[in-house]
Amino acid sequence: MFGFVCSGVWGPRTLSVPVCRRRCVKIRALREEEDKEDVGEDENNRNRPFSPDSESNGGVPPDTSIPSSGEQPGSANEPAHRISPFASDMNPSPNDLPIPVEKLELEKSKEAVVAESVDRAKSQLRRLLPYVINLDRQRLKVEKLIKFLEQQGTTPLTNDFTEMGLSGRWNLLYTTTTLGTPSTGLRLRKVEQEFDIEAKKIRNHVLWSFLDEDCHGQFTIVINYQMVGSGRLYLKVEDYILKPKNKIPEDPVLLSENLQRALPREFFDPDNSWLDVTYIDPNFRIARYMGKRYAGVRNILDRVAVESPQSSPNSEQQ
């Protein structure tokens, strides 16, 4: 029979294998009973309300981040302050965060500065244009203001919005093209551009006075237009109409030639050209011509504020 040498209180002893097996089984049973008692005490402590003077938990509150099996979300046993288990609640996206008041005020101040700069540029153009006499320094300053307004302007989203903005009468204030040599006996009293969005027509009106023959009247260029893009129009001349008011001039051909020399070329003959709306607001507009004939030529126009029957080009037709 095999045996093991065990050290005891009274010295080493030799035990048989069956005796050692029985003792191991007994020790294992005692350990299982102790584990069951520990588990029962943990369950009692978990259901017991927290008390600072409690000796069982040593003054440490139980973990309440996860409710027990008997608790329901939103019940009275749920703690007042819980960390949300959803990551989106703990880490909201930048779009969900409120915009700081300082940032909103900064954006508003930037918009106000830009709007003030645009108004100042338009005011400078209105003061400067009547006195431009083709000096290089004057033209450079005008072109600088034009480019600034074009950079700040926005193109209308649709063709309908573009036509709504163009509709009505506009005074021609300035052109970047080179004018011809006008006749000393011809006076241009008013040069206007009318957009008729219902008929899809542009009418360039000119009120003239021919001093050599003491007659005056109206000259109209009728143009068909077609929207071909965002803020772009294709122009096709339909007709030229000369209407003297008080008497017929002795030489209508000479009068027509004088009008052609006095008017901007893109205004007199815009046939087969494209017109871009580079800046527009309710009362001010910049137009840029495209194509081989007038590429890069710009017109500055101001909306007719009040149309009186005495000064209107239509009054000349009566």
Side-chain angles (χ1 to χ4, degrees):
M1 182 176 63
F2 296 97
F4 296 93
V5 177
C6 300
S7 60
V9 180
W10 296 278
R13 292 188 299 170
T14 301
L15 299 177
S16 63
V17 173
V19 175
C20 291
R21 183 180 296 112
R22 286 196 300 270
R23 291 190 177 183
C24 291
V25 171
K26 185 175 180 180
I27 292 172
R28 187 181 301 111
L30 291 175
R31 289 179 178 177
E32 290 178 357
E33 292 180 1
E34 292 177 356
D35 293 340
K36 291 181 180 179
E37 293 178 358
D38 294 339
V39 170
E41 291 180 0
D42 293 339
E43 293 293 337
N44 294 333
N45 292 333
R46 181 177 298 178
N47 298 327
R48 184 184 306 170
F50 167 70
S51 174
D53 299 331
S54 175
E55 296 179 357
S56 60
N57 52 25
V60 179
D63 185 11
T64 59
S65 60
I66 302 177
S68 63
S69 60
E71 295 179 354
Q72 298 295 331
S75 62
N77 295 327
E78 187 177 6
H81 302 283
R82 293 182 57 193
I83 299 177
S84 174
F86 301 101
S88 59
D89 294 340
M90 294 184 290
N91 300 312
S93 63
N95 295 332
D96 297 334
L97 296 175
I99 301 176
V101 178
E102 295 81 2
K103 187 175 181 180
L104 289 176
E105 293 179 351
L106 180 60
E107 292 178 356
K108 291 181 179 179
S109 61
K110 289 181 179 179
E111 293 178 359
V113 170
V114 172
E116 184 179 354
S117 300
V118 169
D119 292 339
R120 189 183 303 113
K122 291 190 295 184
S123 299
Q124 291 179 5
L125 279 174
R126 287 191 175 99
R127 291 195 304 266
L128 179 62
L129 294 180
Y131 304 99
V132 174
I133 54 176
N134 287 337
L135 294 178
D136 289 341
R137 58 183 180 84
Q138 291 179 332
R139 295 177 67 89
L140 288 175
K141 186 173 183 179
V142 170
E143 291 176 1
K144 183 178 180 181
L145 292 171
I146 289 175
K147 290 180 180 179
F148 171 77
L149 290 175
E150 288 179 336
Q151 292 174 355
Q152 303 303 322
T154 56
T155 304
L157 297 177
T158 64
N159 292 338
D160 292 338
F161 280 115
T162 302
E163 290 185 300
M164 289 173 59
L166 294 173
S167 179
R169 288 181 172 272
W170 300 82
N171 288 319
L172 180 63
L173 302 179
Y174 180 79
T175 178
T176 59
T177 190
T178 302
L179 299 176
T181 304
S183 172
T184 56
L186 180 66
R187 295 289 185 270
L188 302 182
R189 293 155 49 193
K190 184 172 294 186
V191 181
E192 292 184 357
Q193 187 173 77
E194 177 190 3
F195 269 85
D196 185 355
I197 62 175
E198 298 295 333
K200 301 293 182 181
K201 294 184 183 297
I202 302 173
R203 298 182 181 91
N204 293 340
H205 300 290
V206 181
L207 297 183
W208 53 269
S209 296
F210 199 28
L211 304 180
D212 295 342
E213 300 186 15
D214 192 22
C215 61
H216 60 273
Q218 176 179 315
F219 180 63
T220 302
I221 303 104
V222 182
I223 308 160
N224 296 319
Y225 77 86
Q226 179 183 359
M227 302 297 302
V228 294
S230 179
R232 173 167 293 185
L233 297 78
Y234 175 72
L235 309 180
K236 185 70 176 178
V237 174
E238 176 183 320
D239 198 5
Y240 294 91
I241 303 173
L242 182 62
K243 288 187 176 181
K245 184 177 181 182
N246 56 344
K247 69 175 185 177
I248 299 176
E250 297 179 1
D251 193 350
V253 177
L254 178 61
L255 175 59
S256 300
E257 292 176 352
N258 289 334
L259 287 169
Q260 183 177 1
R261 289 197 299 265
L263 291 171
R265 291 178 297 169
E266 75 281 358
F267 196 85
F268 183 87
D269 183 18
D271 195 43
N272 292 326
S273 60
W274 287 266
L275 182 68
D276 285 353
V277 180
T278 56
Y279 179 86
I280 187 170
D281 63 29
N283 298 309
F284 199 83
R285 176 164 65 92
I286 299 176
R288 179 181 61 197
Y289 285 85
M290 304 296 292
K292 294 181 179 180
R293 301 178 64 191
Y294 311 118
V297 173
R298 287 170 171 81
N299 289 167
I300 301 177
L301 304 98
D302 198 7
R303 186 179 292 278
V304 177
V306 178
E307 183 177 334
S308 61
Q310 291 78 11
S311 61
S312 171
N314 287 339
S315 64
E316 302 291 343
Q317 300 176 8
Q318 299 175 358

